[in-house]
Amino acid sequence: MRDSTRDPGPYPAGPGPRPSPEPGEGARVSIVAAGCWGLLAMVVLPGFVLFSADTRTGPALLLQCVVVLHTGGALAWTLAGATARVMAFGFWLFSYIWFGLAPLAMLATDSYPLAFRTDEGTAVTACAIVEAGLLAYTVGAVLAGYGARHPATLLGPVLARRVSPARMLLLCLFALAVAVVLIPGQGGLGAFFTSRQAVNESAAAGGEESAGRAVATWTLSAPAFWALLALLHVPRGPGGDRLVRGLRWALLPLLLALNVVVNNPISQPRFWAGTVLLTLLFAAPALRRPRGFRIATAAILTAVLVVFPYGDYFRNDKRDPVQVVSLAEQFTTNGDYDAYQQLQTGVSVARDEGLAPLGALGPPLFFVPRAVWDGKPEDTGIRLARHAGYRFDNLSAPLWIESYLWGGFPAVVLVFGLYGALGRRIDDVRHRTRELGGTLAVLLVPALAFFQLILLRGSLMASMGPLALLVLVGLCVSGRGDYRERGGTGGRPAAPVSRAVVGTAAHDEPRARDRVSGSPVHE
């Protein structure tokens, strides 16, 4: 169905094909919806946090209220938006909960999940760092939005790459072969349904080092995830794909079973298991459109607030009974919300040890062995844990404090300004090509959007390996696409291409019409 209202989305001008907008998509952000979401995010939920505990006041708490209003308002605007901006949603979801509500509860009650404590001045500085990053991200996204109607010269061709049937089949076979080889060394199938502790202990009993266990885990998880995702969304050419369709139906049960084993929330971190599940959901055509996006993101926000805190039930073999507590108590006692406290610890590190600009080289050069690079920067999470005197070092190091330790407030502003601009352009390219099945814009962008929760929580050094693997596997399983023709920036009309998804007929997909010939184009 076509909407007579002109779509304000970022479609370039030109004679190429253009996906038809969803009814009502051309309208501006719904003020009523934004107001309702804003009331919930900026008034109701903070009210539950503040009034469920004995509230204390101070400069840090007042500044934190500004952070809550900023993150809550931006999240509400994203949820009520006229386009499905999944990168923006992932950023503001994390910022609102981990740096909005959680610090609000900590500062209001003067209670924190970890033992290390700082003074009021450090707390004020930490809040200022958070707000500086949020402001820079907002400005970067807004400035990038002014160029939304112009083609993304670098991102466009990359995200327009389409899944190759031959490469998809090779990846499926590779994922299954790797599983046969590595799963026995990880403790067998049973270890993946006990706890993460059991998997680590089984691998350690076999003499495997922690670094080797991490490599084995991600070598199992990422290819299995991408194989299933590509299998579900491999495009079909005009000549048909009877052989590929038969192989797809044969491989689908095996890949589903493999992902249940290696990517379940029992043996995998919740952030990664959530990334896998949400990417599979958001790659579906219905959730690429604003209406489906709004419903799904509302459900995710509810799940993160209500279900996520209890998702670590399977982390260890010894499990205590689940106790439902208030939001304020959950934020101030659960170590999963240590991001703001770790930011305070980082401010203390900067004050005592100074800034370390060379630390910025660590994340992009994560693959260089320490045996080769003697002065390789230390993982920031480990550095913060050592400064605080903890005997454990599996702690977060948010992007805010990573960048602050590189160069203070200027580094925070630069990093988050670029991050906001990049996220906005990625969302714009995905919006342009949302009806074209099997592209990286449809498949990789949701994975990046939800993986960024791991990236934002940190540490960067620990996150870069999985992120690189996630992107590289996607590039390897896809072939070159034609962004200029499909984006409509000029050139001849795109050839008719249909896509086949298991259980979905090609004629059920939305259609666009060639603006030159008027003939339908299956997308």
Side-chain angles (χ1 to χ4, degrees), residues 62 96 131 158 179 220 264 272 282 289 323 340 365 508:
L62 294 177
Y96 176 65
E131 182 58 23
V158 173
L220 278 168
N264 67 75
W272 172 250
F282 275 77
R289 305 180 189 114
Q323 295 181 353
Y340 174 72
L365 300 177
D508 291 331

Side-chain angles (χ1 to χ4, degrees), residues 263-322:
N263 286 320
N264 67 75
I266 298 175
S267 59
Q268 284 283 3
R270 286 161 292 164
F271 284 106
W272 172 250
T275 297
V276 171
L277 177 60
L278 294 176
T279 301
L280 292 172
L281 291 176
F282 275 77
L287 270 64
R288 298 180 219 152
R289 305 180 189 114
R291 186 178 295 112
F293 174 79
R294 297 185 196 111
I295 296 172
T297 50
I300 292 172
L301 176 61
T302 304
V304 171
L305 285 171
V306 177
V307 179
F308 176 82
Y310 307 99
D312 61 349
Y313 180 76
F314 299 103
R315 176 177 294 177
N316 303 309
D317 290 334
K318 295 181 179 180
R319 297 159 189 161
D320 297 326
V322 176

